[in-house]
Amino acid sequence: MVTALFLAWQVIVLGVLETHFGSGYDDRRFDTLEARFEHRQEAFAEADARMSELAAVHPRAERIGWSLALICVREPGRAADSCKPTSARDKARYESLGGVDVIVRQSHDKHRTFFRFYADDPPRYTLLHAPADTDVSSYAADRGFRTTRSLTSGWTLLGPIPDVHREDEQWQ
């Protein structure tokens, strides 16, 4: 009897936590990120255009990462990224996004720019800019993202990748 009550209590507690931090948490976080995007849509478009410029300058790059302090490029066959300090102009562009932790462009995700939001703790959310003909739902499911929310043409919020190993694979 005690074991049954203990197991029932665990199921209830886990259910409440999933309701609060699971699908409900996604909705609240998506609402916040969507509002941030709506207020800064032009800034996101400018940052995406800048990432396209960087990709054109480094056409063989496996990965380009842009943070407030650095722009890092990983060329094929190199173990480490080559990083340069962010210029004043790029820093101003980046700061205008408000809350983005890193912007990523990867060779295995052609023509897609990812704006990653880490917040204080995982789970991590991502704003994706992709060609308008991208089937974002299939793309997200293939990479392990939990949920998506379409914003405007080409712009989509991607929910977290709950599997840490899969998340590491996506961003390496």
Side-chain angles (χ1 to χ4, degrees), residues 25-111:
Y25 186 76
D26 287 348
D27 289 337
R28 285 192 303 274
R29 186 70 194 276
F30 273 20
D31 291 345
T32 300
L33 295 174
E34 182 174 5
R36 185 177 298 161
F37 173 76
E38 287 174 356
H39 288 95
R40 296 178 171 98
Q41 191 168 350
E42 186 175 315
F44 280 100
E46 287 177 14
D48 179 62
R50 177 63 176 136
M51 284 301 278
S52 294
E53 290 172 7
L54 292 168
V57 171
H58 303 281
R60 294 176 19 100
E62 291 178 353
R63 182 178 195 276
I64 300 170
W66 174 10
S67 67
L68 183 60
L70 299 169
I71 293 178
C72 299
V73 178
R74 183 179 306 146
E75 296 290 346
R78 298 190 73 183
D81 294 352
S82 171
C83 297
K84 293 183 180 179
T86 305
S87 70
R89 184 174 180 184
D90 283 339
K91 190 175 284 193
R93 278 186 189 133
Y94 191 91
E95 288 175 332
S96 70
L97 300 174
V100 172
D101 291 289
V102 66
I103 306 168
V104 177
R105 177 78 71 106
Q106 303 176 117
S107 61
H108 68 268
D109 287 314
K110 291 266 187 220
H111 309 293

Side-chain angles (χ1 to χ4, degrees), residues 4 7 10 15-16 36 97 99 110 116-117 126 135 143 160 166:
L7 288 174
Q10 283 185 320
V16 168
R36 185 177 298 161
L97 300 174
K110 291 266 187 220
R116 312 248 0 259
F117 300 94
T126 303
D135 180 354
R143 283 153 182 82
R166 262 189 108 169

